[in-house]
Amino acid sequence: MSTTREQPLDARERLDLCDLLDDLGPDAPTLCEGWTTLDLAAHLVLREHFSKWTEPKMTAEKAKGLPALTARLRAGAPLIPWRIPGVRNLLNGTEYLIHHEDIRRANGLAPRTDRPDLDKTAWAAARLAARGAARRIRPHGLELRTPAGETRHYGPAGGAVLTGAPVELLLYLSGRREAARTDLTGDPEAVAALEN
């Protein structure tokens, strides 16, 4: 891997993701339905450079090839807003963390247990995502629990309880339920509402 611990999380995730893209090539699967690694790299380039996502723009980016796209990603994000201290990890760090896992999990790679720095960003992002999920399952509540004993409750008590490591919770709440290593328990109606 080409990263160091002194770099901000978003920069480390970016470079590690680029290494993985280089290793797997343009045609490897991802958890993003219908997308290969080439599609995902094009999406990341367009997203960071404020290009409205359209099919012609995606096609044009993909035509440049994976090496050109990873080179552009390795060059770093534009300063505004992606590198503003205090928001860079929540905005870009979360995006790269999720998409890194999209590629890893779709290619049979296990969760990373050697990166506690991921948990801090994932926990913050999961708590934000849980607010939206709790609104969708009203009148039921939602509780997040980590193996370390951290909990957050949204809405009425007695609802659904989603348990897992912060990265796993984030994956579940961002629509990667099949790949997330979580346990969902609680009121059957609340559980059913969250699963829909």
Side-chain angles (χ1 to χ4, degrees):
M1 296 274 181
S2 61
T3 61
T4 65
R5 293 286 180 198
E6 293 79 37
Q7 294 172 308
L9 179 131
D10 66 305
R12 290 193 310 258
E13 281 297 282
R14 166 195 302 278
L15 295 176
D16 288 349
L17 183 141
C18 286
D19 288 346
L20 186 57
L21 287 168
D22 290 342
D23 289 345
L24 295 174
D27 299 318
T30 73
L31 295 181
C32 301
E33 189 174 335
W35 278 9
T36 64
T37 44
L38 180 63
D39 295 296
L40 191 49
H43 157 74
L44 290 169
V45 167
L46 288 172
R47 174 190 169 270
E48 279 193 342
H49 293 86
F50 300 104
S51 293
K52 188 172 183 177
W53 189 90
T54 64
E55 238 3 90
K57 285 186 179 182
M58 277 289 283
T59 300
E61 286 300 318
K62 288 168 33 179
K64 296 174 183 175
L66 189 61
L69 295 176
T70 56
R72 189 157 183 201
L73 291 171
R74 284 182 196 284
L79 177 61
I80 306 295
W82 308 119
R83 290 191 286 166
I84 297 173
V87 296
R88 68 183 296 167
N89 280 342
L90 198 54
L91 291 177
N92 242 17
T94 300
E95 180 83 3
Y96 276 91
L97 188 161
I98 290 172
H99 286 318
H100 194 166
E101 291 301 322
D102 283 338
I103 297 169
R104 291 178 56 80
R105 306 290 172 103
N107 289 281
L109 299 172
R112 295 174 284 170
T113 58
D114 62 338
R115 294 285 304 274
D117 57 330
L118 297 179
D119 286 340
K120 182 178 178 183
T121 294
W123 182 237
R127 291 188 332 246
L128 287 174
R131 289 181 183 156
R135 281 192 295 273
R136 282 193 331 271
I137 67 168
R138 284 182 184 153
H140 308 290
L142 173 62
E143 183 176 325
L144 299 183
R145 292 183 186 166
T146 71
E150 295 171 294
T151 61
R152 281 287 195 271
H153 194 86
Y154 306 88
V161 178
L162 185 62
T163 304
V167 170
E168 305 302 323
L169 294 172
L170 178 60
L171 290 176
Y172 184 96
L173 292 167
S174 64
R176 283 102 172 137
R177 294 178 185 165
E178 297 293 320
R181 296 181 178 188
T182 57
D183 186 33
L184 181 58
T185 59
D187 176 75
E189 288 184 17
V191 167
L194 189 61
E195 288 178 327
N196 289 328

